[in-house]
Amino acid sequence: MHGFANPKRFLSLARWLTPLLLVSGLIVTAVALYWGITSVPPDRLMGETVRILFIHVPTAWLGMGGWSAIAICSLVFLVWRHPLAAIAARAAAVPGLVFTIICLATGSIWGRPTWGTWWVWDGRLTSMLVLAFLYLAYIALAQAAEREGVSPRIPAIFGLLGAVNIPIINRSVVWWNSLHQPPSITMGKSAIDVVFLQPLLLAVLGFSLIFGGVVLARMRALLADIQAEARLRRRALEAD
Amino acid sequence: MREALDQWDFVLAAYVVAVIGTLGMIAWSWIAMKRAEKRRENVRSATRKAR
């Protein structure tokens, strides 16, 4: 694993892995969503709106997964000081934010016909909204740290501290009274019928592949920017 | 009085949000990556020429 932490080796791997993940992710997601919208019967209680879950659930998991990745990469950066870990953490922020926003939007759209309201300030929804704000703050902090030449340890510490919100989101439906249903899928168990579970798991796989592809694309962009800036700085110093 | 909501309108709205959001994110990250890598190559070749 340490071998791929070398930027040169990482780039040789990422060059072919980025389009592969993005294209396969798009195909798998399209198949899963088409399956969900055309072949799955309406749910006994939710009716047709059950189809929204094939988007809402994967994006919710990846919204939380994105911050978990930020926290792990931040920890690796703080302990081993590897710059590629800091770049990976920054790269995971944008897809994490986008999937969190899609999760909030689709949850709200699902809530209107099912709960009779677009939004309630309960534990699950509020902690997910807090996650979106944490992503925005992290992206702004990482950009400001780079622009002002501040140590990347500051966004890394923020990434680590923000991880406190992840178990709160996960346990919110258990700790507090909520309109949101309790977890339907736990370790090795599922309360979801196999008719709904199969396209749901395929959608999780598809969105995860897209997430991975976008993280690699963002890492390549950030690396290229850093390398170009370093070369320009060296050239300016040589000219002096 | 009971509201008559067509559930399919909500399903389609959710799918449109997801498709636009996901495709937009992929396109933006791909274009940003290509632009950054092109800039790096331009800087690299300009440095070689300067030497």
Side-chain angles (χ1 to χ4, degrees):
Chain A
M1 200 69 198
H2 267 284
F4 294 111
N6 174 313
K8 225 174 201 174
R9 217 168 288 171
F10 162 76
L11 278 177
S12 67
L13 183 79
R15 248 176 225 128
W16 61 267
L17 203 53
T18 311
L20 181 72
L21 287 178
L22 289 176
V23 172
S24 58
L26 279 172
I27 292 169
V28 172
T29 306
V31 170
L33 296 187
Y34 183 76
W35 183 357
I37 214 159
T38 58
S39 304
V40 168
D43 179 66
R44 186 170 60 89
L45 295 172
M46 287 185 266
E48 304 292 354
T49 58
V50 71
R51 301 172 206 287
I52 297 175
L53 300 191
F54 304 127
I55 301 165
H56 179 73
V57 174
T59 52
W61 286 359
L62 288 167
M64 289 190 282
W67 198 282
S68 305
I70 290 175
I72 292 166
C73 292
S74 299
L75 185 67
V76 169
F77 174 70
L78 288 169
V79 174
W80 286 287
R81 299 278 166 94
H82 205 292
L84 208 57
I87 291 170
R90 275 189 71 184
V94 170
L97 172 66
V98 170
F99 282 139
T100 302
I101 290 170
I102 293 174
C103 164
L104 286 167
T106 54
S108 180
I109 292 167
W110 179 85
R112 181 66 186 90
T114 315
W115 294 342
T117 179
W118 296 101
W119 185 264
V120 279
W121 291 101
D122 84 342
R124 173 58 66 88
L125 277 73
T126 308
S127 55
M128 209 62 195
L129 184 66
V130 168
L131 180 66
F133 288 131
L134 284 173
Y135 272 121
L136 286 171
Y138 178 83
I139 291 167
L141 190 61
Q143 278 179 353
E146 189 192 28
R147 195 179 52 239
E148 304 298 327
V150 177
S151 165
R153 265 183 293 173
I154 293 168
I157 291 167
F158 182 76
L160 214 50
L161 290 177
V164 170
N165 192 38
I166 299 301
I168 294 175
I169 297 171
N170 185 262
R171 304 310 295 164
S172 57
V173 284
V174 179
W175 290 341
W176 299 299
N177 276 330
S178 173
L179 267 180
H180 199 285
Q181 65 266 40
S184 308
I185 300 173
T186 49
M187 284 290 180
K189 279 186 192 168
S190 166
I192 301 175
D193 190 273
V194 72
V195 178
F196 303 108
L197 190 62
Q198 283 172 340
L200 177 63
L201 293 179
L202 194 66
V204 170
L205 174 68
F207 278 112
S208 302
L209 290 170
I210 290 173
F211 189 95
V214 171
V215 169
L216 286 184
R218 294 290 307 134
M219 284 181 77
R220 282 171 62 179
L222 290 167
L223 254 178
D225 276 338
I226 291 167
Q227 287 169 339
E229 287 301 322
R231 204 170 270 267
L232 283 172
R233 228 172 295 139
R234 231 180 5 247
R235 220 166 75 185
L237 282 172
E238 281 169 8
D240 281 344
Chain B
M1 204 175 98
R2 198 166 157 268
E3 259 185 305
L5 296 173
D6 184 356
Q7 292 190 332
W8 274 105
D9 290 345
F10 292 91
V11 173
L12 289 177
Y15 274 63
V16 166
V17 166
V19 168
I20 290 175
T22 308
L23 290 181
M25 172 180 68
I26 291 171
W28 171 77
S29 55
W30 185 263
I31 291 166
M33 177 191 79
K34 287 287 169 195
R35 198 176 290 162
E37 288 184 341
K38 197 177 173 191
R39 180 172 168 251
R40 179 183 57 195
E41 289 316 307
N42 289 343
V43 170
R44 201 176 274 173
S45 56
T47 310
R48 274 198 208 116
K49 270 182 200 165
R51 281 177 183 160

